Amino acid sequence: MNASSPPRKQQIPVIVLAGFLGSGKTTLLNHLLRNRAGNRIGVIVNDFGAIEIDAMTVSGQAGSTVSLGNGCLCCAVDASELDTFLETLTGPAARLDVIVIEASGLAEPQELVRMILASENPHIVYGGLIEVVDAAEFDATRERHPEIDRHLAVADLVVLNKTDRAGHEEQTRIQDVIAAAAAPGRPGAAVIRATYGRIDPELLFDPALRPDGEEKARQLTFEDLLRDRSEEEAGEDGHAHHLHAAYDSVSFTADVPMNPRRLMAFLDSRPQGLYRIKGFVDFGVGDRANKYALHAVGRFLRFEPQPWGRGEPRRTQLVLIGSGIAPDALHKELADCRENAAPAPDATQDAAHERSMWGVLRYVQRPDDDA
């Protein structure tokens, strides 16, 4: 990695989007581009001709990159070029917030995940493997593509699409099959039911926060028109509320530091259906100087120590997102991870506190990891 290219302050999540022909993954991708919550999205595909992105009809193509408008980009690559294009898309000039890799024709989804996790690019972080499944053609797809069970086993989130064409009992049966496909020793993927690929983008990434206000005052865009049309088709009440109702979120705040060993035990035994965890953790005497940004997607876990701001309240703030989870039970489990009492103001780290942080530090990316 070029030593003159330091990691950007916020790493860019790289999401792998997979699914067999007809599952609706391109429809889902278009939905994300229309409802991007202010984010600039980079899309990586194998072949422009193999995927129909609505925004391409209003953009020009330059070589292997297409501008989708509103700062979004699309690149056509093959697997051997993936690292090179990730380097380009995470550069300051691209100014992207999220990257989505549309897996068709590039590589097996699990291979793409391995490439992302093994990447030496310090600007990216794994954002999850999403498998889109056609609820109406699930059994037929498994007959044609038995490898789908392998994909489901490693997926972090399964979007059970086209549920308007499958009854409730059939959807439940498919979810049981998905749960049974889970790899040994890990819970099954979170499952979200959807029609026309419409899922809440906040399941996958956070809304963009732009201090310069560039998203507040701008002309009406093609994206706005597409979104308005979609909302009209969904009915007068819109579909945002219904999308959010498809999953649960749990907010947790603690003014008492978290016990590192207890929290790691909780994270190591995350229940089925829990897809994302994000926020900041206060480990008290375990590390007085830093709060720890927590990023978890599926079984992936990363901590990043960040200095406390001057006068910043010392507290833990977490948000957990999933489907079919028990919010009250999760909140109680997190509450049980707190230290028994707040540390004395003059308490300092001793050998016992240092050892208690070892489990956390295993998930901190060291500078030499990028070399």
Side-chain angles (χ1 to χ4, degrees), residues 255 257 282 284-289 308 314 341-349 353:
D255 293 319
D282 173 21
V285 183
D287 188 344
R288 284 285 202 186
W308 287 104
R314 303 292 180 101
D346 57 350
T348 57
Q349 187 186 63
H353 289 121

Side-chain angles (χ1 to χ4, degrees), residues 15 22 55 70 132 162 214 230 298 320:
I15 297 165
N70 298 320
V132 185
K162 305 185 183 181
E214 62 187 78
S230 296
L320 296 80

Side-chain angles (χ1 to χ4, degrees), residues 215-329:
E215 290 289 338
K216 293 180 182 177
R218 57 179 172 79
Q219 292 182 329
L220 185 68
T221 65
F222 184 70
E223 174 192 296
D224 298 323
L225 296 174
L226 285 172
R227 184 171 57 247
D228 291 344
R229 186 181 69 191
S230 296
E231 290 174 355
E232 287 173 6
E233 291 172 355
E236 293 183 0
D237 59 349
H239 60 270
H241 171 73
H242 299 294
L243 298 184
H244 185 76
Y247 66 93
D248 299 300
S249 61
V250 179
S251 296
F252 175 81
T253 302
D255 293 319
V256 175
M258 304 297 279
N259 180 286
R261 287 196 176 100
R262 293 176 197 163
L263 182 62
M264 288 310 302
F266 168 81
L267 293 172
D268 286 340
S269 59
R270 280 169 275 173
Q272 180 172 330
L274 183 55
Y275 175 58
R276 286 180 71 204
I277 308 175
K278 58 183 181 178
F280 297 92
V281 182
D282 173 21
F283 287 117
V285 183
D287 188 344
R288 284 285 202 186
N290 294 298
K291 59 186 175 182
Y292 281 70
L294 190 164
H295 169 75
V297 179
R299 307 311 299 171
F300 176 81
L301 176 62
R302 173 77 54 82
F303 282 105
E304 180 189 352
Q306 299 177 1
W308 287 104
R310 185 188 298 268
E312 183 179 358
R314 303 292 180 101
R315 63 167 61 106
T316 293
Q317 295 178 296
L318 296 173
V319 176
L320 296 80
I321 299 172
S323 175
I325 58 178
D328 292 342

